[in-house]
Amino acid sequence: MSKIKQIFSREILNSRALPTLETTVVLDDGAVSSASVPSGTSIGAYEALEIHDNDPERFGGHGVLKAVETVEKIIAPILLEKDAANQQEIDNLMIHADSTINKGKLGANSILSVSMAVAKAASISSNMPLYQYLRQYLKNGAPPKIPTPAFNLLNGGKHAASNNMDFQEFLVIPASSIPYPETLSMAYKIYESIRKNLSERNAITLTGEEGGFAPVFPSNKEALSFMLGAISETKYRYSYDVFLGLDCSANNFYSNKEYKLKDSATSFSSGNLIRFYEELNKEFHLLYLEDPFSEDDWEGWSGLNTKLSNQVIIAGDDLVATNPYRLQLSLDKKAITGVIIKPNQIGTVIESLALVEAARQSNLKIIVSHRSQETNDDFIADFAVAVSADYTKFGAPARGERVAKYNRLLQIDRQLRT
């Protein structure tokens, strides 16, 4: 049994040059580990809340010195001398100390930074890889595996400063039968094909927040056609080796019960948007649709699920927010066939693992995801392997904070094969 000897925290910068939290946990056997938490740019209404300083003189109010103080003066005294290997107790003590529904008192960023750091330190103390250590908190007996990556190669919506396209992520998804190292080679070749084709069009080749290119297209449909063309110039066969998917992030183009897209001069009702997605699927044979409707448009979600769930994975991100109540509501309304898992949406490692188990019991596809405002912490890669996720979303195969996750999966892949 290794007890927690010390917990301290500091303010660092994330991939958008905004402050986030890094927390270090020291155990009495000498094990030490740190964890830093990501943040979202497109944030759903049902996510757990982060604590920020709201001081306009520091980082435009985004500073996290209050969160640092929360970790060191409130959370640390509660957890000192506790057994680091009892993640359930650690996380429950923090949840109880917060006592709010949305982690609004202590902050999901404060709590999660400690939760992750404790898990990492305990895995070191146990002399186990983190992905293997986390599995002891799961009842699922499926062996660990490398999930299939969904590469975000075109960035739109809030992930692109020019607001070039309405849909937030245009995803390239390899066939699940392709070994993980080969998927990275595939992503690189398609990424470079996209770069080449954009250059030939004299289009912008700057990248968005998740490393994908952020050009301007007159419509979302044309962006999909462009991606299809870029894929066709590689050796990979569309709808066999590789597929397309979308994270629509529909909250961002929804207002007054209507959806406004570049693809139409008039706004879409929920029913009309369902028909638009049916048209896109008919033309592009999509594998994946994430957040195609706003987080409270149950009519749209249920209607689309009825029409396309036998052809396309319909995944809830803002809809579910890694929240058990929202997951159950989504199941009751038959709204989804897949769920996004983001630990910072709920605030602890244990709650994230529990959500995965509940989703798996309902036969949902599990998609473990990073956030747009990331750090170099690769915890989420181990987490994805631990829960035997079907897919991961870590952005493009570019930018250090994204590549850190992909490279960690390479390490784990080698371990699993030896």
Side-chain angles (χ1 to χ4, degrees):
M1 181 174 73
S2 299
K3 293 183 178 181
I4 297 174
K5 180 180 178 181
Q6 188 179 10
I7 300 175
F8 57 91
S9 191
R10 65 186 178 124
E11 184 182 67
I12 65 171
L13 297 183
N14 65 27
S15 59
R16 281 194 67 199
L18 292 173
T20 189
L21 210 62
E22 182 183 73
T23 292
T24 300
V25 169
V26 181
L27 305 186
D28 63 2
D29 64 358
V32 180
S33 191
S34 300
S36 53
V37 293
S39 296
T41 299
S42 180
I43 300 173
Y46 298 99
E47 294 191 27
L49 298 180
E50 297 182 349
I51 285 181
H52 292 278
D53 299 341
N54 299 318
D55 177 1
E57 298 301 315
R58 291 192 73 253
F59 298 103
H62 294 283
V64 292
L65 295 181
K66 289 181 181 178
V68 169
E69 186 176 4
T70 295
V71 169
E72 297 185 343
K73 294 188 176 181
I74 300 176
I75 295 176
I78 296 170
L79 300 184
L80 293 181
E81 300 302 316
K82 295 295 186 292
D83 181 5
N86 192 339
Q87 189 77 35
Q88 184 83 50
E89 180 189 15
I90 298 296
D91 288 355
N92 284 342
L93 283 169
M94 290 189 287
I95 293 167
H96 179 74
D98 181 89
S99 72
T100 66
I101 295 174
N102 58 6
K103 310 289 192 301
K105 181 180 177 181
L106 301 182
N109 49 347
S110 305
I111 295 171
L112 183 62
S113 70
V114 177
S115 181
M116 290 167 55
V118 168
K120 292 170 77 172
S123 72
I124 294 170
S125 179
S126 302
N127 198 29
M128 296 171 65
L130 179 58
Y131 67 88
Q132 194 66 52
Y133 174 81
L134 291 174
R135 290 182 60 76
Q136 68 183 305
Y137 299 105
L138 294 166
K139 296 177 183 177
N140 169 45
K145 68 173 184 177
I146 305 296
T148 300
F151 298 99
N152 180 9
L153 300 190
L154 283 188
N155 293 181
K158 288 190 175 182
H159 289 176
S162 62
N163 196 25
N164 51 347
M165 296 168 286
D166 306 294
F167 296 155
Q168 192 155 274
E169 299 178 8
F170 292 75
L171 302 164
V172 167
I173 308 173
S176 58
S177 59
I178 297 177
Y180 172 69
E182 293 180 29
T183 68
L184 293 181
S185 177
M186 173 189 288
Y188 165 78
K189 289 175 182 176
I190 296 174
Y191 191 71
E192 289 305 307
S193 180
I194 291 173
R195 188 198 303 273
K196 169 180 168 291
N197 279 272
L198 288 174
S199 296
E200 289 174 351
R201 292 165 58 127
N202 294 317
I204 296 171
T205 56
L206 299 177
T207 59
E209 287 189 7
E210 296 190 357
F213 297 107
V216 175
F217 286 100
S219 70
N220 299 282
K221 185 175 179 179
E222 184 165 328
L224 283 168
S225 296
F226 172 82
M227 291 192 73
L228 209 57
I231 291 170
S232 72
E233 294 184 10
T234 70
K235 67 179 182 180
Y236 302 108
R237 297 162 292 177
Y238 187 68
S239 289
Y240 186 84
D241 300 311
V242 63
F243 303 84
L244 289 178
L246 292 169
D247 174 4
C248 303
S249 195
N251 278 348
N252 297 325
F253 53 86
Y254 177 75
S255 180
N256 298 319
K257 298 184 178 182
E258 291 183 326
Y259 298 89
K260 180 62 178 175
L261 295 173
K262 286 185 175 183
D263 300 78
S264 173
T266 59
S267 298
F268 291 87
S269 65
S270 296
N272 288 336
L273 189 56
I274 290 173
R275 286 186 281 277
F276 177 68
Y277 287 133
E278 286 184 287
E279 292 171 8
L280 288 183
N281 185 56
K282 184 176 181 180
E283 183 169 351
F284 298 101
H285 306 288
L286 300 173
L287 177 67
Y288 179 88
L289 269 176
E290 178 184 331
D291 280 355
F293 293 91
S294 73
E295 59 204 0
D296 289 314
D297 184 0
W298 295 109
E299 178 184 354
W301 279 96
S302 299
L304 184 68
N305 194 50
T306 299
K307 294 285 188 178
L308 289 182
S309 61
N310 63 334
Q311 303 172 50
V312 183
I313 298 167
I314 300 174
D317 178 14
D318 292 339
L319 181 75
V320 178
T322 318
N323 181 295
Y325 169 75
R326 294 290 297 181
L327 175 62
Q328 189 58 56
L329 203 54
S330 301
L331 293 170
D332 291 344
K333 294 183 178 292
K334 296 180 172 57
I336 57 175
T337 59
V339 63
I340 295 288
I341 306 295
K342 295 175 176 176
N344 85 314
Q345 288 181 328
I346 190 65
T348 67
V349 172
I350 283 295
E351 288 172 293
S352 303
L353 292 170
L355 201 286
V356 170
E357 292 219 291
R360 179 161 281 119
Q361 288 173 7
S362 298
N363 296 316
L364 297 180
K365 294 292 185 182
I366 307 298
I367 305 101
V368 170
S369 177
H370 66 166
R371 298 307 299 259
S372 56
Q373 299 179 39
E374 265 293 342
T375 74
N376 287 336
D377 195 309
D378 56 15
F379 175 93
I380 198 66
D382 280 79
F383 182 94
V385 175
V387 301
S388 304
D390 298 288
Y391 297 94
T392 55
K393 288 177 55 188
F394 295 158
R399 297 181 53 133
E401 73 280 0
R402 316 296 157 183
V403 172
K405 281 74 166 169
Y406 289 123
N407 286 343
R408 174 57 184 153
L409 288 183
L410 281 173
Q411 292 177 320
I412 299 173
D413 179 68
R414 183 180 179 89
Q415 291 173 11
L416 294 178
R417 289 188 290 108
T418 56

